[in-house]
């Protein structure tokens, strides 16, 4: 029985990409070497590094005045890096906290300057208060938000208006699930392991005019300015991971690009939400409709006993990693790019059968 991986991350990768990586693993092209054995100073690796950037620039239409960086340290590392690279400009930054990841980012940034919380403090993350209610500071170095809260399933379906203050986005769990206008952003970052590759590489897209003012305490490996100058080759990059995300970018391009990814994400997530909404309370999703994530769908079942049973029966059908994050419980289905519509259909069918059997 094939497994269907609905995990939130590290998550399912496209099978074609993994087969290609497997075929090329021991001997990459005519190099006689594996990617993991080659010098990061070699022309072979330079091509890998450049190719990954070129394809990403193409599929996402990244403008010329933005640098693409491949860093390490994960999403969490970037919480600190963003502050150390940008917050020195005015000493403060605005944080739009809509879930546990943006809350963690705000806490980390507070080590490096003054953090202004744009929204009233809450621990109940079920939606995004309307922009008119936000308390933005025109003097902030940047405005920070998380475009998709992986744990709480809260996703922005618009780009926040910041009136000229640079916008920083953590897109770890919805990066490349759709196209968007990069020119609206100062910095975009994403840990690869949700939607675009293995853990260990973090993608950063940074507008050039924001380079050049890191704090003195900023470690070199987190310094956007130095990493941009050295084309992400200041020290040894996560070479295999950069190679792998390059393959994923090519896969996306070959599938029809970001418009196709968005179409699939809309189709797959609507299928699951419509079972939830049509279940007369058997299933429930706490997130307000306009802020529901197309990538991570958290939901509850009438009783905790039924939730346990659901997870157990799903497992026997090969559907794995459906358990909600430990901080919120319940079920979470993650429908990243690599999860097919057929696989989603299997989940939908199981949800319907489970409901009929236990209503
Ligand atoms: C997973 C995740 C992170 C943290 O990533 P790490 O690589 O584990 O540090 C940050 N932000 C979002 C939105 C995430 O989904």
């Amino acid at each position: 029985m094939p497994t269907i991986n609905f995990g939130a991350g590290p998550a399912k990768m496209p099978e074609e990409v993994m087969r290609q990586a497997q075929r090329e693993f021991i001997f990459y092209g005519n190099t006689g070497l594996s990617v993991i054995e080659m010098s990061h100073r070699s022309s072979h690796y330079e091509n890998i590094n450049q190719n990954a950037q070129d394809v990403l620039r193409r599929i996402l239409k990244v403008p010329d005045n933005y640098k693409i960086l491949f860093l390490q340290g994960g999403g969490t590392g970037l919480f600190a890096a963003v502050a150390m690279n940008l917050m020195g400009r005015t000493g403060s930054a605005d944080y739009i906290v809509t879930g546990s990841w943006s809350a963690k980012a705000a806490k980390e940034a507070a080590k490096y300057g003054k953090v202004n919380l744009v929204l009233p403090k809450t621990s109940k993350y079920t939606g995004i208060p309307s922009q008119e209610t936000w308390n933005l500071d025109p003097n902030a170095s940047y405005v920070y938000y998380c475009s998709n809260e992986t744990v709480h399933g809260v996703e922005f379906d618009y780009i926040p208006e910041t009136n000229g203050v640079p916008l920083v986005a953590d897109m770890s769990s919805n990066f490349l699930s759709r196209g968007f206008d990069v020119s609206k952003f100062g910095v975009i970052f994403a840990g690869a392991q949700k939607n675009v590759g293995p853990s260990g590489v973090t993608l950063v897209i940074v507008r050039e005019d924001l380079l050049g003012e890191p704090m003195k305490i900023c470690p070199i490996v987190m310094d956007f300015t130095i990493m941009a100058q050295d084309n992400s080759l200041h020290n040894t990059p996560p070479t295999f991971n950069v190679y792998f995300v390059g393959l994923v970018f090519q896969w996306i391009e070959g599938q029809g690009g970001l418009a196709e990814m968005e179409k699939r994400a809309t189709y797959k997530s609507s299928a699951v939400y419509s079972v939830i909404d049509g279940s007369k309370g058997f299933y429930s999703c706490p997130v307000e409709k306009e802020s529901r994530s197309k990538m991570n769908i958290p939901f509850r079942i009438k009783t905790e006993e039924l939730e346990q049973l659901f997870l157990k029966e799903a497992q026997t059908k090969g559907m794995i990693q459906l358990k909600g994050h430990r901080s919120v419980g319940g079920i979470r289905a993650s429908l990243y790019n690599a999860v097919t519509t057929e696989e989603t259909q299997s989940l939908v069918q199981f949800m319907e059968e489970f409901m009929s059997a236990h209503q």
Side-chain angles (χ1 to χ4, degrees), residues 41-102:
R41 306 284 172 212
S42 66
S43 61
H44 302 306
Y45 184 73
E46 260 174 39
N47 289 338
I48 289 171
N49 184 34
Q50 198 54 50
N51 176 61
Q53 293 179 43
D54 291 347
V55 183
L56 179 58
R57 208 173 272 283
R58 243 182 357 248
I59 59 178
L60 190 56
K61 302 189 177 71
V62 179
D64 289 344
N65 62 326
Y66 285 76
K67 295 281 193 212
I68 296 172
L69 314 179
F70 300 121
L71 304 187
Q72 304 188 58
T76 306
L78 265 290
F79 296 166
V82 161
M84 285 190 281
N85 279 282
L86 302 182
M87 218 177 188
R89 292 151 41 88
T90 70
S92 73
D94 281 351
Y95 276 72
I96 307 169
V97 173
T98 55
S100 55
W101 288 116
S102 45

Side-chain angles (χ1 to χ4, degrees), residues 8-9 73-77 79 101-102 144 146-151 170-173 189 191-194 199-200 202 296 336:
T76 306
F79 296 166
W101 288 116
S102 45
Y144 179 104
C146 175
S147 60
N148 183 61
E149 285 283 358
T150 322
V151 172
D170 174 1
M171 295 197 182
S172 293
S173 53
F189 70 87
Q193 72 270 25
K194 308 293 165 51
S199 61
T202 315
N296 313 97
Y336 296 122

Side-chain angles (χ1 to χ4, degrees), residues 111-170:
K111 295 177 181 170
Y112 305 100
K114 187 175 163 298
V115 164
N116 169 43
L117 296 179
V118 169
L119 306 175
K121 251 201 171 114
T122 175
S123 54
K124 178 178 141 297
Y125 300 117
T126 56
I128 302 167
S130 77
Q131 285 195 88
E132 298 83 72
T133 67
W134 297 1
N135 168 35
L136 293 172
D137 172 9
N139 199 37
S141 296
Y142 57 90
V143 177
Y144 179 104
Y145 81 115
C146 175
S147 60
N148 183 61
E149 285 283 358
T150 322
V151 172
H152 291 88
V154 173
E155 183 172 21
F156 279 76
D157 69 350
Y158 61 91
I159 297 174
E161 176 54 58
T162 62
N163 305 309
V165 176
L167 181 61
V168 175
D170 174 1

Side-chain angles (χ1 to χ4, degrees), residues 74 93 110 134 226 230 243:
W134 297 1
I226 289 179
D230 293 347
Y243 154 78

